[in-house]
Amino acid sequence: MKIAVGADHAGLPLKETVIARIAALAHTPVDLGAHEYDANDDYPDFALAVASEVAQGRADRGVVLCGSGVGASIVANKVRGVRAGVCHDTYSARQGVEHDDMNVLCIGSRIIGSAIADSVIAAFVGATFTGEERHARRLEKVKAIEASGDLSE
């Protein structure tokens, strides 16, 4: 599986650990930056790069690292076809894929360290969408909401 990885300055310290773990699990990491520390870089740039790779089918899944994971998740979920979630535990990372077909994992490097990140990455890349009827039904509802645009009116 090809997995796009991106990180802003806050996520940069954890990015190499994540890339190494993906490779150790026999998957192909694609490093979309940042490639050097820049305190003025912005998480939306990296989250968009990763989400775009996934949405356009150039990557099977993606991982975005920022300080909390929250901002990256907000941005990634703006991209049609992306289902991003913030996960700092193995249960959420695995279930997000199995039940919700999550395709982008967002991690806060100020929340978890490398040992937990290793386990979370392993759970994320090792999981597959079950396709179980109730999960498929719910996923179709999510896709319909996305396709319909703004439902706030």
Coordinates of all heavy atoms in Angstrom, one line a residue, residues 7-13 15-16 31-41 46:
A7 N 3.8 16.6 7.2 CA 3.9 17.2 8.6 C 4.3 18.6 8.5 O 5.2 19.0 7.7 CB 4.9 16.4 9.4
D8 N 3.7 19.4 9.4 CA 4.2 20.8 9.5 C 5.3 20.8 10.5 O 5.8 19.7 10.9 CB 3.0 21.7 10.0 CG 2.5 21.5 11.4 OD1 3.0 20.5 12.1 OD2 1.6 22.3 11.8
H9 N 5.7 22.0 10.9 CA 6.9 22.1 11.9 C 6.6 21.3 13.2 O 7.5 20.8 13.8 CB 7.2 23.5 12.1 CG 6.1 24.3 12.8 ND1 5.0 24.8 12.1 CD2 5.9 24.6 14.1 CE1 4.2 25.4 12.9 NE2 4.7 25.3 14.1
A10 N 5.4 21.4 13.7 CA 5.1 20.7 14.9 C 5.1 19.2 14.8 O 5.5 18.5 15.7 CB 3.7 21.1 15.4
G11 N 4.7 18.7 13.6 CA 4.7 17.2 13.4 C 6.0 16.7 12.9 O 6.2 15.5 12.9
L12 N 6.9 17.6 12.5 CA 8.2 17.1 11.9 C 9.0 16.2 12.8 O 9.5 15.2 12.2 CB 9.0 18.4 11.5 CG 10.2 18.1 10.6 CD1 9.9 17.5 9.3 CD2 11.0 19.4 10.4
P13 N 9.1 16.4 14.1 CA 9.9 15.5 14.9 C 9.4 14.0 14.9 O 10.2 13.1 15.1 CB 9.8 16.1 16.3 CG 9.4 17.5 16.1 CD 8.6 17.6 14.8
K15 N 7.7 12.7 12.2 CA 7.5 12.2 10.8 C 8.4 11.1 10.4 O 8.0 10.1 9.8 CB 7.6 13.4 9.8 CG 7.3 13.0 8.4 CD 7.3 14.1 7.4 CE 8.8 14.4 7.2 NZ 9.2 14.9 5.9
E16 N 9.7 11.2 10.7 CA 10.6 10.1 10.3 C 10.3 8.8 11.0 O 10.5 7.7 10.4 CB 12.1 10.6 10.6 CG 12.6 11.6 9.6 CD 12.4 11.3 8.2 OE1 12.7 10.1 7.8 OE2 11.9 12.2 7.4
D31 N 6.9 10.8 1.1 CA 7.1 11.9 2.0 C 6.8 13.2 1.3 O 7.5 13.6 0.3 CB 8.6 11.9 2.4 CG 9.0 13.0 3.4 OD1 8.1 13.9 3.7 OD2 10.1 12.9 4.0
L32 N 5.7 13.9 1.7 CA 5.3 15.1 1.1 C 5.7 16.4 1.9 O 5.2 17.4 1.7 CB 3.8 15.1 1.0 CG 3.2 14.0 0.1 CD1 1.7 14.0 0.0 CD2 3.8 14.0 -1.3
G33 N 6.7 16.2 2.8 CA 7.2 17.3 3.6 C 6.5 17.5 4.9 O 5.6 16.7 5.2
A34 N 6.9 18.4 5.6 CA 8.1 19.3 5.5 C 9.4 18.5 5.5 O 9.5 17.5 6.2 CB 8.0 20.4 6.6
H35 N 10.3 19.1 4.8 CA 11.6 18.4 4.8 C 12.7 19.1 5.6 O 13.8 18.6 5.8 CB 12.1 18.4 3.3 CG 11.2 17.6 2.4 ND1 11.0 16.2 2.6 CD2 10.3 18.0 1.5 CE1 10.1 15.8 1.7 NE2 9.7 16.9 1.0
E36 N 12.3 20.2 6.2 CA 13.2 20.9 7.2 C 12.3 21.8 8.1 O 11.1 22.1 7.7 CB 14.2 21.8 6.4 CG 13.6 22.9 5.6 CD 14.6 23.6 4.8 OE1 15.6 23.0 4.3 OE2 14.5 24.9 4.6
Y37 N 12.8 22.1 9.2 CA 12.0 22.9 10.2 C 11.8 24.3 9.7 O 12.8 25.0 9.3 CB 12.7 22.8 11.6 CG 12.0 23.6 12.6 CD1 10.9 22.9 13.3 CD2 12.2 24.9 12.9 CE1 10.2 23.6 14.2 CE2 11.5 25.6 13.9 CZ 10.5 24.9 14.5 OH 9.7 25.6 15.5
D38 N 10.6 24.7 9.7 CA 10.2 26.1 9.4 C 9.1 26.5 10.4 O 7.9 26.0 10.1 CB 9.8 26.3 8.0 CG 9.4 27.7 7.6 OD1 9.3 28.6 8.5 OD2 9.1 27.9 6.4
A39 N 9.4 27.2 11.4 CA 8.4 27.6 12.4 C 7.2 28.3 11.8 O 6.1 28.4 12.4 CB 9.0 28.4 13.5
N40 N 7.3 28.9 10.6 CA 6.3 29.6 9.9 C 5.5 28.8 8.9 O 4.6 29.4 8.2 CB 6.9 30.9 9.3 CG 7.4 31.9 10.4 OD1 6.7 32.1 11.4 ND2 8.6 32.4 10.2
D41 N 5.8 27.5 8.8 CA 5.0 26.8 7.8 C 3.6 26.5 8.4 O 3.3 26.8 9.6 CB 5.7 25.5 7.4 CG 5.8 24.4 8.5 OD1 5.2 24.6 9.5 OD2 6.6 23.5 8.2
F46 N 0.2 21.0 4.2 CA 0.6 19.6 4.2 C -0.6 18.6 4.3 O -0.6 17.6 3.7 CB 1.6 19.3 5.4 CG 2.8 20.2 5.3 CD1 3.0 21.3 6.1 CD2 3.8 19.9 4.4 CE1 4.1 22.2 5.9 CE2 4.9 20.7 4.2 CZ 5.1 21.8 5.0

